[in-house]
Amino acid sequence: MSPRRNRPKAAVSSGSATEDDRAGRYGGWQSTESWQGEEWSVRHVAGSSAGGKTYRCPGCDQLIPSGVPHVVAWPEHAGVDDRRHWHKACWNAKDRRTTRVQRSRNAPRF
C-alpha cells in the first residue's frame, strides 16, 4: 500500500495558465459580480499574501491590517488605480450600508 498523497495532482492545462497563476500568486480566487449596474472583478486575497501593507476599507473607513484576509474589487472597465481593498464582511454587506460614510472633520479622505 502506498502512502497517502499530501499534494493534489497537477491539473491538465487548458490554455488559461496565466489566469490560474495570477489567482494562485495572490492566494485567492477571482470572480465577477454585478453591483450598482456595473460588472466588478472581485479577488479574494489570503492573509499571508497581504503582508507588509495596510489598506483602508471603503465600506467601514477602517484600516485593514497587514496579514488579514480581505477582498480586492474594481470595476471591469477600470484600471489599476480604481482597485479598492475591502473587509470580506464589508464587501458582503455593501448593499445594506448607507451611501454616506460619516468621517470626523479632520479625517483624511482615501
Side-chain angles (χ1 to χ4, degrees), residues 34-80:
S34 182
W35 181 48
Q36 294 182 340
E38 288 186 83
E39 292 297 315
W40 287 70
S41 293
V42 180
R43 179 175 289 154
H44 295 262
V45 179
S48 60
S49 63
K53 293 185 178 181
T54 58
Y55 303 100
R56 184 162 301 270
C57 175
C60 64
D61 201 36
Q62 300 295 314
L63 289 178
I64 302 173
S66 173
V68 172
H70 60 278
V71 174
V72 180
W74 65 96
E76 283 278 323
H77 67 278
V80 176

Side-chain angles (χ1 to χ4, degrees), residues 5-109:
R5 267 189 119 108
N6 288 331
R7 297 184 187 142
K9 293 181 180 180
V12 177
S13 177
S14 62
S16 64
T18 56
E19 288 288 325
D20 296 336
D21 290 343
R22 225 179 351 189
R25 181 180 310 150
Y26 298 107
W29 51 272
Q30 184 170 333
S31 63
T32 303
E33 294 183 22
S34 182
W35 181 48
Q36 294 182 340
E38 288 186 83
E39 292 297 315
W40 287 70
S41 293
V42 180
R43 179 175 289 154
H44 295 262
V45 179
S48 60
S49 63
K53 293 185 178 181
T54 58
Y55 303 100
R56 184 162 301 270
C57 175
C60 64
D61 201 36
Q62 300 295 314
L63 289 178
I64 302 173
S66 173
V68 172
H70 60 278
V71 174
V72 180
W74 65 96
E76 283 278 323
H77 67 278
V80 176
D81 294 335
D82 291 326
R83 289 184 300 184
R84 296 292 175 257
H85 296 253
W86 295 68
H87 292 106
K88 287 184 180 183
C90 294
W91 176 256
N92 292 336
K94 63 190 175 294
D95 293 328
R96 296 187 303 268
R97 293 189 177 270
T98 61
T99 57
R100 192 170 160 183
V101 176
Q102 298 294 322
R103 294 182 178 89
S104 66
R105 203 173 273 183
N106 296 327
R109 293 193 172 260

